[in-house]
């Protein structure tokens, strides 16, 4: 059974903190993605990676960075968290179909 | 933007009725996929239809694709309360590197 896991389901951070969101997949997929989901806005792509150490910006990369040191792991980093980054963060991996993790609901105070 | 757009935004039906959701998109695609999201959870893949296919079935799900109109529909037959969720369409690019999601249809099936 395919599996994408995310490090936390819920996270509360303070403005200015550095935040790490981790995602691990066990399907040997080359492509991995980070989205954020906000009411009325659907899913918006932050970054994706098509290979180890390779990354490309999505539609809303500002304020975020990513790291992919190993094929199975894709990390999203908020360098200095701000209140407008309060959101649901979804990780996915894919070959043709996307498989999603359960999501991390991040609250930045 | 290549983003898919679902219609309607919200749909409320009785258990046993059929539910139809539509998706429109703007550019050429390799495939179109439908996903379901239960409240506060990740998305679950339902069905994929390729650009050279017109119709596909999976259990109570029927998906159609009209590439000339750049639109797709998802039909859920004999709906159940457990079908209550948000449904998203996503268009897939030819290199599988990018997917574009709409903002979803919120389906409520009343028991």
């Amino acid at each position: 059974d395919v599996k994408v896991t995310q490090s936390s389901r819920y996270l509360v951070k303070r403005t200015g903190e550095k935040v790490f969101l981790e995602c691990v997949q066990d399907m040997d997929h080359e492509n991995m993605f980070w989205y954020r989901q906000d009411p009325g806005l659907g899913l918006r792509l932050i970054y994706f990676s098509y290979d180890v150490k390779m990354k490309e910006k999505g539609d809303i990369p500002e304020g975020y960075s990513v790291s992919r040191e190993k094929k199975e792991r894709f990390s999203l980093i908020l360098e200095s968290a701000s209140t407008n980054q309060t959101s649901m963060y979804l990780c996915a991996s894919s070959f043709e179909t996307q498989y999603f993790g359960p999501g991390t609901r991040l609250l930045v105070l | 933007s290549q983003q898919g757009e679902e219609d309607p935004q919200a749909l409320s039906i009785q258990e046993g009725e059929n539910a139809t959701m539509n998706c429109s998109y703007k550019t050429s695609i390799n495939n179109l996929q439908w996903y379901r999201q239960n409240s506060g959870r990740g998305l679950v893949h339902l069905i994929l239809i390729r650009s050279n296919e017109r119709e596909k079935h999976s259990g109570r799900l029927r998906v159609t694709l009209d590439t000339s109109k750049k639109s797709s529909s998802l039909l859920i037959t004999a709906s159940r309360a457990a079908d209550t969720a948000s449904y998203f369409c996503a268009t897939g690019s030819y290199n599988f590197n990018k997917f574009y999601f709409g903002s979803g249809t919120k389906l409520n099936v009343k028991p």
Side-chain angles (χ1 to χ4, degrees):
Chain A
D1 204 12
V2 300
K3 204 164 186 181
V4 178
T5 56
Q6 293 183 230
S7 48
S8 306
R9 287 300 313 279
Y10 300 95
L11 213 49
V12 180
K13 295 291 180 181
R14 298 247 172 236
T15 302
E17 278 192 79
K18 192 168 186 175
V19 182
F20 292 88
L21 302 181
E22 299 240 302
C23 175
V24 178
Q25 52 101 357
D26 66 358
M27 294 161 284
D28 203 36
H29 286 158
E30 290 180 346
N31 298 329
M32 294 188 75
F33 306 79
W34 275 106
Y35 297 90
R36 65 177 281 177
Q37 184 178 26
D38 301 288
L41 296 177
L43 273 75
R44 293 182 290 168
L45 182 64
I46 305 172
Y47 267 97
F48 71 95
S49 168
Y50 50 91
D51 203 349
V52 175
K53 296 192 188 295
M54 305 303 285
K55 61 187 179 187
E56 276 199 32
K57 293 179 180 179
D59 300 318
I60 51 164
E62 296 79 20
Y64 303 95
S65 62
V66 290
S67 171
R68 186 130 180 239
E69 296 297 318
K70 292 184 178 181
K71 194 174 186 179
E72 67 271 17
R73 191 179 297 269
F74 191 34
S75 302
L76 179 70
I77 303 150
L78 286 65
E79 296 290 342
S80 177
S82 63
T83 54
N84 63 13
Q85 291 179 309
T86 290
S87 187
M88 170 75 128
Y89 289 88
L90 292 164
C91 172
S93 74
S94 80
F95 170 61
E96 195 173 35
T97 299
Q98 289 206 307
Y99 295 90
F100 283 84
T104 295
R105 198 168 286 282
L106 173 66
L107 173 62
V108 182
L109 300 173
Chain B
S1 166
Q2 288 179 258
Q3 192 177 45
E5 290 298 331
E6 292 89 348
D7 170 60
Q9 289 188 332
L11 183 60
S12 186
I13 59 174
Q14 291 293 142
E15 209 164 25
E17 293 180 341
N18 295 341
T20 299
M21 289 158 265
N22 302 296
C23 170
S24 59
Y25 57 93
K26 293 180 182 173
T27 63
S28 62
I29 59 172
N30 174 271
N31 62 70
L32 188 142
Q33 304 178 35
W34 285 91
Y35 291 81
R36 183 188 75 227
Q37 184 181 35
N38 291 93
S39 181
R41 314 290 285 188
L43 279 73
V44 174
H45 179 257
L46 294 175
I47 195 164
L48 178 152
I49 185 165
R50 300 183 197 287
S51 57
N52 62 351
E53 296 175 311
R54 292 296 165 257
E55 189 170 311
K56 207 157 182 183
H57 297 256
S58 177
R60 293 184 295 113
L61 305 180
R62 174 179 166 250
V63 168
T64 62
L65 179 64
D66 187 335
T67 52
S68 65
K69 293 181 180 176
K70 292 187 167 57
S71 68
S72 173
S73 68
L74 170 68
L75 168 68
I76 304 174
T77 59
S79 63
R80 304 167 183 167
D83 294 327
T84 294
S86 292
Y87 291 83
F88 295 85
C89 69
T91 53
S93 62
Y94 282 90
N95 58 5
F96 308 135
N97 275 357
K98 277 196 167 182
F99 297 80
Y100 296 91
F101 286 82
S103 43
T105 292
K106 204 163 189 174
L107 173 66
N108 179 32
V109 181
K110 293 177 279 189

